[in-house]
Amino acid sequence: ESVLTQSPATLSLSPGERVTLSCRASQSVSSYLAWYQQKPGQAPRLLIYDVSNRATGIPARFSGSGSGTDFTLTISSLEPEDFALYYCQESNNWPLTFGGGTRVEIK
Amino acid sequence: EVQLLESGGGLVQPGGSLRLSCAASGFTFSSYAMNWVRQAPGKGLEWVSSIPASSDYTRYAASLEGRFTISRDNSKNTLYLQMNSLRAEDTAVYYCAKAFSGWFFDFWGQGTLVTVSS
């Protein structure tokens, strides 16, 4: 089982700032990594798949990078609607696993 | 428009059973793998189970210890999760999710709450 560790647990930032979220896997997940955004009371939304591909309708300010065991989600300039929880997920191995999440909150 | 509508959640006593359903529309259900993901109150996301379009195999989280069964009826565009021997730790919102690019999840239902309590 691949364990995904996200850091930091919480980020306190202001609109307009650049944010970088980390996801580290306990074993290689190749390029089978995705990022999701979840707001309170809502289902998660797919942002990025296969490390760096934006899902349909996702703004260009969201980007993903990395390979093997270390991955990053970058939001180039935070918009008010970006304050939320973010999860990474890998699909290279069974069982599928999610990271513990990073909360991006308003400073 | 893709829509996934879960139902069947509710309050159940420990040791009891529930069957969740997920009615799909807006896409060719029989062509896509489907999944269940759950989220305990205030906690993160946990993958539960997956089934490919053809139902020729299934996959489960180890924590379920054989108590849950995923199935689908492509003629009814519906995904199911039979949950037996429920425990307090199964209390969660259960989401069905459409598979995308392998085993990522591009569309999610609104979730159905399962509460296991006496």
Side-chain angles (χ1 to χ4, degrees):
Chain A
E1 175 175 339
S2 184
V3 176
L4 299 182
T5 302
Q6 291 189 241
S7 62
T10 304
L11 275 171
S12 297
L13 298 163
S14 301
E17 288 196 86
R18 179 184 180 89
V19 57
T20 300
L21 309 181
S22 173
C23 176
R24 177 164 290 177
S26 60
Q27 63 188 76
S28 175
V29 300
S30 185
S31 61
Y32 298 103
L33 190 103
W35 292 92
Y36 300 85
Q37 177 193 68
Q38 187 180 32
K39 297 179 181 179
Q42 296 184 16
R45 178 175 70 147
L46 177 66
L47 298 175
I48 301 287
Y49 66 97
D50 293 344
V51 177
S52 60
N53 295 308
R54 277 189 302 276
T56 302
I58 301 304
R61 65 180 181 274
F62 291 92
S63 63
S65 62
S67 64
T69 60
D70 289 292
F71 302 91
T72 298
L73 173 70
T74 300
I75 310 173
S76 59
S77 178
L78 276 170
E79 296 288 338
E81 61 268 28
D82 299 337
F83 291 94
L85 267 167
Y86 292 84
Y87 294 96
C88 56
Q89 178 236 330
E90 68 92 2
S91 68
N92 188 54
N93 307 290
W94 296 102
L96 307 179
T97 55
F98 289 91
T102 292
R103 181 181 304 277
V104 177
E105 63 179 27
I106 299 175
K107 187 173 182 179
Chain B
E1 178 192 6
V2 171
Q3 290 195 333
L4 298 170
L5 184 61
E6 301 97 336
S7 60
L11 176 64
V12 60
Q13 292 189 339
S17 297
L18 277 178
R19 188 176 83 154
L20 306 184
S21 299
C22 172
S25 61
F27 65 104
T28 305
F29 180 76
S30 59
S31 296
Y32 290 92
M34 295 295 295
N35 310 270
W36 290 99
V37 177
R38 69 183 180 183
Q39 188 169 36
K43 303 297 184 182
L45 300 171
E46 180 186 17
W47 169 76
V48 172
S49 184
S50 297
I51 185 168
S54 58
S55 300
D56 53 350
Y57 62 89
T58 55
R59 295 285 186 264
Y60 299 95
S63 61
L64 304 180
E65 299 179 347
R67 298 177 296 120
F68 291 11
T69 302
I70 190 172
S71 61
R72 62 191 296 161
D73 186 336
N74 288 343
S75 69
K76 295 183 178 179
N77 291 346
T78 303
L79 176 72
Y80 302 101
L81 185 68
Q82 177 66 44
M83 306 186 295
N84 298 330
S85 303
L86 283 161
R87 306 167 180 168
E89 55 263 37
D90 296 317
T91 294
V93 173
Y94 285 73
Y95 295 100
C96 72
K98 173 182 166 291
F100 171 74
S101 187
W103 296 102
F104 300 129
F105 315 122
D106 62 344
F107 288 97
W108 299 63
Q110 86 291 346
T112 187
L113 176 63
V114 172
T115 303
V116 184
S117 174
S118 55

